[in-house]
Amino acid sequence: MRHAARVPHWANWAGNQHAQPVRVETPRDTDEVVRAVKQAAAERLRVKAVGAGHSFTAIAATDGVQLRLDGLAGLRSVDRGSGLVTVGGGTPLHVLHGLLAAEGLAMSNLGDIDRQSISGAISTGTHGTGARLGGIATQVRGLELVTGDGSVLTCSPTENPAVFSAARVGLGALGIVTAVTLQCEPAFELRASERPLPVGDVMRDLDDLAAANEHVEFYWMPHTELALLKENNRPARGDTGRRLGRMRAWFDDEFVANTGFGLVCRVGRARPSLVPRLNRVVARAITPRTFTAPSYDVFVSPRRVRFVEMEYAVPRAAAGEAFAAIRDVIERERLEVSFPVEVRVAAGDDIPLSTGSGRDSAYFAIHMFRGAEFERYFRAVEARMRDLHGRPHWGKMHYRTAADLRPAYPRFDEFLAARDLVDPDRVFGNAYLETVLGP
Ligand SMILES: Cc1cc2nc3c(=O)[nH]c(=O)nc-3n(C[C@H](O)[C@H](O)[C@H](O)COP(=O)(O)OP(=O)(O)OC[C@H]3O[C@@H](n4cnc5c(N)ncnc54)[C@H](O)[C@@H]3O)c2cc1C
């Protein structure tokens, strides 16, 4: 195992969380993770695995030993017949796509980007969209964990089921994930349809859109009446679809969505009063397009403009109220918001601390350009989402604590019991976990 000579300062992708670990270790296999955990526990240091640092909360921060699991990336086993695939816990999602594609397989659903590690993604409940699909953690069928005393524990629905149940969305609190077994499916393509529509129409029809599409989401540009509706579905048999030319893909995904949008955000940050006008210009630039591509290319997009984000899951039936509340906050507080509000849906699941635990959900993500004031906006929206029984994404900004999160999760204590089993000494603790789970 290699030790870094000078301990580097750590910051997350958004640049809003910082930490100074005592040391950084880069284990290359499960045995080296075991040694690192035992050594840290003997020194009474806490341990935290970090993925790609794409969480906006301090969930991955540590002042103890930081483990980087890049050495535990790649395929461990593949069963093409059942679609069960086991990968190292440090595997980045963008590497995973390639590994799966080479085996003729793919993940059923993904979020907006693929820079995260598989363990980081499941640990915070990362999700995509689709009324009949849960988050990425619902695709997990087995885990290998190194627990607080340095033991290796394998778990699945039939082996250590209580730990498995909780550890799928484990918040980094239940051990170091050294391997993940995923239920994959034969590789597939998606036909993407993207078009601007009046936001009122989209909200009115959200239930029908969710029922009619495998994946549906929309972005509403604050200070305008326009939404960009995205519907992704498997093409009919024999329909090879229209490919997106390289130039068009570059123009839409790089030039407009990143370079151009980044410029608009910078102008808006310097002159907030211009934001509503700028948003109207951005909204007018949205043009319809349809294309067909491998599933992972349709699910994910490059995100180079840095921002901070809060995301709330509310019961599906409260989607209309939640959207109206966000609009109301922006108007009432006279906020200048240059980033779109993203709305998605997902099926309920059986994972204790998943935001979709026990209920179908609608997800509302709000963003602010990095460096712009966000707290007034986020706190005001959070107050309204809490009233709607909202649950915050564990990896995105929020101000909730264990006392008011426990009532939001009927199975909260089940999670704490699993934690007492695998990490009674809180070797994997940090300040964030103390806030959201209690001491
Ligand atoms: C641009 C951008 C787009 C995003 N899009 C989406 C989206 O579409 N949908 C969505 O739901 N979220 C989204 N997110 C949030 C993101 O998916 C989550 O924050 C995710 O946790 C980040 O993964 P990571 O690998 O960066 O993990 P990190 O942020 O590094 O860590 C997250 C947690 O996982 C733990 N962890 C990491 N590796 C291990 C391991 N091996 N064992 C145990 N614990 C571990 C860490 O300790 C920490 O507790 C987005 C974030 C950004 C910045």
Side-chain angles (χ1 to χ4, degrees):
M1 177 165 22
R2 284 164 284 130
H3 293 251
R6 223 183 92 251
V7 185
H9 175 84
W10 177 84
N12 65 342
W13 176 88
N16 65 325
Q17 303 294 346
H18 298 264
Q20 182 57 64
V22 169
R23 61 175 181 265
V24 177
E25 298 198 5
T26 54
R28 286 160 300 187
D29 56 29
T30 302
D31 287 345
E32 291 193 350
V33 174
V34 167
R35 277 204 289 281
V37 170
K38 284 187 171 166
Q39 180 61 36
E43 292 174 53
R44 297 193 165 277
L45 290 171
R46 299 200 285 189
V47 182
K48 187 84 9 212
V50 67
H54 272 53
S55 295
F56 299 89
T57 56
I59 192 166
T62 186
D63 53 6
V65 178
Q66 184 182 73
L67 298 186
R68 297 202 178 151
L69 299 196
D70 313 277
L72 274 81
L75 279 182
R76 279 202 186 178
S77 68
V78 181
D79 180 342
R80 286 194 203 184
S82 64
L84 287 176
V85 174
T86 300
V87 295
T91 309
L93 294 179
H94 62 96
V95 171
L96 181 60
H97 307 325
L99 296 172
L100 293 179
E103 302 290 338
L105 295 169
M107 302 272 285
S108 303
N109 203 5
L110 285 168
D112 285 346
I113 60 156
D114 59 5
R115 298 294 105 185
Q116 311 95 317
S117 64
I118 182 64
S119 300
I122 62 171
S123 295
T124 59
T126 293
H127 63 93
T129 191
R132 292 178 288 279
L133 293 159
I136 297 179
T138 64
Q139 298 169 50
V140 175
R141 297 292 176 270
L143 293 168
E144 180 186 89
L145 294 169
V146 175
T147 62
D149 65 357
S151 310
V152 179
L153 181 137
T154 51
C155 59
S156 70
T158 52
E159 191 181 3
N160 299 306
V163 175
F164 174 73
S165 175
R168 287 171 292 171
V169 178
L171 315 190
L174 301 187
I176 307 299
V177 178
T178 45
V180 183
T181 301
L182 294 161
Q183 178 66 64
C184 301
E185 60 172 296
F188 59 99
E189 297 208 314
L190 283 173
R191 180 179 184 276
S193 158
E194 302 175 358
R195 60 201 162 108
L197 279 175
V199 69
D201 294 1
V202 178
M203 265 322 293
R204 184 196 61 215
D205 297 340
L206 188 62
D207 283 341
D208 294 339
L209 289 164
N213 290 290
E214 284 177 70
H215 310 274
V216 67
E217 67 182 309
F218 74 87
Y219 293 86
W220 168 59
M221 216 48 211
H223 316 293
T224 79
E225 291 303 323
L226 264 193
L228 170 63
L229 176 68
K230 291 187 168 194
E231 297 160 290
N232 298 329
N233 292 288
R234 290 170 207 234
R237 230 183 149 82
D239 173 5
T240 52
R242 202 170 73 83
R243 307 282 139 173
L244 203 57
R246 265 218 201 148
M247 269 313 285
R248 175 76 201 260
W250 174 84
F251 183 77
D252 291 346
D253 298 335
E254 285 295 342
F255 186 71
V256 177
N258 282 297
T259 313
F261 184 56
L263 188 68
V264 167
C265 287
R266 277 197 294 280
V267 175
R269 186 176 57 194
R271 296 272 307 276
S273 62
L274 289 181
V275 165
R277 225 180 309 157
L278 290 169
N279 283 13
R280 287 193 283 277
V281 174
V282 171
R284 274 200 297 273
I286 301 170
T287 50
R289 64 174 186 172
T290 56
F291 63 94
T292 302
S295 55
Y296 50 88
D297 276 345
V298 173
F299 286 133
V300 307
S301 316
R303 292 265 189 277
R304 300 193 208 294
V305 181
R306 307 245 169 165
F307 53 84
V308 288
E309 179 175 349
M310 165 182 277
E311 186 176 43
Y312 259 86
V314 300
R316 259 290 293 284
E321 275 178 273
F323 183 71
I326 294 172
R327 276 197 86 143
D328 184 55
V329 163
I330 294 173
E331 282 159 22
R332 198 182 286 236
E333 302 270 330
R334 297 179 182 280
L335 297 166
E336 270 109 15
V337 180
S338 63
F339 252 81
V341 173
E342 184 181 14
V343 182
R344 294 181 273 187
V345 291
D349 62 47
D350 64 350
I351 306 175
L353 289 195
S354 161
T355 47
S357 190
R359 67 189 200 196
D360 292 344
S361 304
Y363 287 84
F364 292 84
I366 62 171
H367 316 75
M368 272 299 216
F369 186 43
R370 187 160 80 166
E373 206 288 310
F374 62 85
E375 199 163 332
R376 198 154 61 93
Y377 180 30
F378 285 12
R379 281 190 184 273
V381 169
E382 178 165 277
R384 305 289 288 269
M385 297 300 116
R386 186 199 269 118
D387 290 347
L388 296 171
H389 305 288
R391 296 169 176 163
H393 189 302
W394 298 107
K396 301 188 184 179
M397 301 293 295
H398 68 88
Y399 306 95
R400 306 280 294 265
T401 62
D404 75 332
L405 285 165
R406 177 184 257 123
Y409 284 93
R411 296 173 65 188
F412 198 82
D413 289 342
E414 222 178 281
F415 186 92
L416 296 187
R419 189 186 194 202
D420 284 341
L421 216 59
V422 292
D423 188 22
D425 298 327
R426 308 295 186 251
V427 172
F428 305 116
N430 65 4
Y432 177 83
L433 292 181
E434 273 161 34
T435 303
V436 299
L437 297 178

